[in-house]
PDB file of all heavy atoms in Angstrom:
ATOM      1  N   VAL A  26    -147.638 -70.063  45.502  1.00  0.00           N
ATOM      2  CA  VAL A  26    -147.240 -69.868  44.107  1.00  0.00           C
ATOM      3  C   VAL A  26    -147.661 -68.490  43.606  1.00  0.00           C
ATOM      4  O   VAL A  26    -146.925 -67.800  42.908  1.00  0.00           O
ATOM      5  CB  VAL A  26    -147.846 -70.974  43.213  1.00  0.00           C
ATOM      6  CG1 VAL A  26    -147.611 -70.662  41.745  1.00  0.00           C
ATOM      7  CG2 VAL A  26    -147.257 -72.331  43.571  1.00  0.00           C
ATOM      8  N   ALA A  50    -138.678 -33.178  27.855  1.00  0.00           N
ATOM      9  CA  ALA A  50    -138.990 -32.446  26.630  1.00  0.00           C
ATOM     10  C   ALA A  50    -139.461 -31.045  27.006  1.00  0.00           C
ATOM     11  O   ALA A  50    -140.116 -30.855  28.039  1.00  0.00           O
ATOM     12  CB  ALA A  50    -140.063 -33.169  25.821  1.00  0.00           C
ATOM     13  N   ASN A 101    -137.141 -27.833  20.955  1.00  0.00           N
ATOM     14  CA  ASN A 101    -137.528 -27.510  19.585  1.00  0.00           C
ATOM     15  C   ASN A 101    -136.424 -26.794  18.837  1.00  0.00           C
ATOM     16  O   ASN A 101    -136.114 -27.103  17.688  1.00  0.00           O
ATOM     17  CB  ASN A 101    -138.795 -26.649  19.595  1.00  0.00           C
ATOM     18  CG  ASN A 101    -139.349 -26.400  18.209  1.00  0.00           C
ATOM     19  OD1 ASN A 101    -139.988 -27.253  17.615  1.00  0.00           O
ATOM     20  ND2 ASN A 101    -139.093 -25.210  17.654  1.00  0.00           N
ATOM     21  N   ARG A 111    -131.201 -19.889  30.706  1.00  0.00           N
ATOM     22  CA  ARG A 111    -131.138 -19.671  32.157  1.00  0.00           C
ATOM     23  C   ARG A 111    -131.595 -20.904  32.920  1.00  0.00           C
ATOM     24  O   ARG A 111    -131.151 -21.141  34.044  1.00  0.00           O
ATOM     25  CB  ARG A 111    -131.938 -18.426  32.564  1.00  0.00           C
ATOM     26  CG  ARG A 111    -133.443 -18.508  32.410  1.00  0.00           C
ATOM     27  CD  ARG A 111    -134.061 -17.167  32.848  1.00  0.00           C
ATOM     28  NE  ARG A 111    -135.510 -17.213  32.882  1.00  0.00           N
ATOM     29  CZ  ARG A 111    -136.283 -16.966  31.832  1.00  0.00           C
ATOM     30  NH1 ARG A 111    -135.724 -16.686  30.660  1.00  0.00           N
ATOM     31  NH2 ARG A 111    -137.593 -17.007  31.937  1.00  0.00           N
ATOM     32  N   ALA A 168    -131.125 -49.502  20.753  1.00  0.00           N
ATOM     33  CA  ALA A 168    -131.197 -48.936  19.403  1.00  0.00           C
ATOM     34  C   ALA A 168    -132.235 -49.634  18.527  1.00  0.00           C
ATOM     35  O   ALA A 168    -132.987 -48.975  17.788  1.00  0.00           O
ATOM     36  CB  ALA A 168    -129.818 -48.996  18.741  1.00  0.00           C
ATOM     37  N   ILE A 196    -161.037 -29.167  -1.497  1.00  0.00           N
ATOM     38  CA  ILE A 196    -161.518 -27.797  -1.271  1.00  0.00           C
ATOM     39  C   ILE A 196    -161.100 -26.925  -2.440  1.00  0.00           C
ATOM     40  O   ILE A 196    -159.922 -26.925  -2.817  1.00  0.00           O
ATOM     41  CB  ILE A 196    -160.930 -27.233   0.037  1.00  0.00           C
ATOM     42  CG1 ILE A 196    -161.271 -28.153   1.209  1.00  0.00           C
ATOM     43  CG2 ILE A 196    -161.432 -25.820   0.291  1.00  0.00           C
ATOM     44  CD1 ILE A 196    -160.583 -27.761   2.506  1.00  0.00           C
ATOM     45  N   ASP A 267    -143.675 -17.509  44.095  1.00  0.00           N
ATOM     46  CA  ASP A 267    -142.987 -16.476  44.862  1.00  0.00           C
ATOM     47  C   ASP A 267    -143.189 -15.083  44.295  1.00  0.00           C
ATOM     48  O   ASP A 267    -142.543 -14.134  44.723  1.00  0.00           O
ATOM     49  CB  ASP A 267    -141.492 -16.783  44.941  1.00  0.00           C
ATOM     50  CG  ASP A 267    -141.219 -18.022  45.769  1.00  0.00           C
ATOM     51  OD1 ASP A 267    -141.925 -18.224  46.773  1.00  0.00           O
ATOM     52  OD2 ASP A 267    -140.312 -18.783  45.396  1.00  0.00           O
ATOM     53  N   LEU A 281    -141.557 -11.961  35.474  1.00  0.00           N
ATOM     54  CA  LEU A 281    -142.463 -12.884  36.110  1.00  0.00           C
ATOM     55  C   LEU A 281    -143.719 -12.212  36.624  1.00  0.00           C
ATOM     56  O   LEU A 281    -144.811 -12.697  36.452  1.00  0.00           O
ATOM     57  CB  LEU A 281    -141.752 -13.620  37.245  1.00  0.00           C
ATOM     58  CG  LEU A 281    -142.569 -14.734  37.897  1.00  0.00           C
ATOM     59  CD1 LEU A 281    -142.983 -15.749  36.842  1.00  0.00           C
ATOM     60  CD2 LEU A 281    -141.778 -15.412  38.993  1.00  0.00           C
TER      61      LEU A 281
END
Side-chain angles (χ1 to χ4, degrees):
V26 172
N101 186 78
R111 68 181 187 273
I196 304 173
D267 293 323
L281 186 57

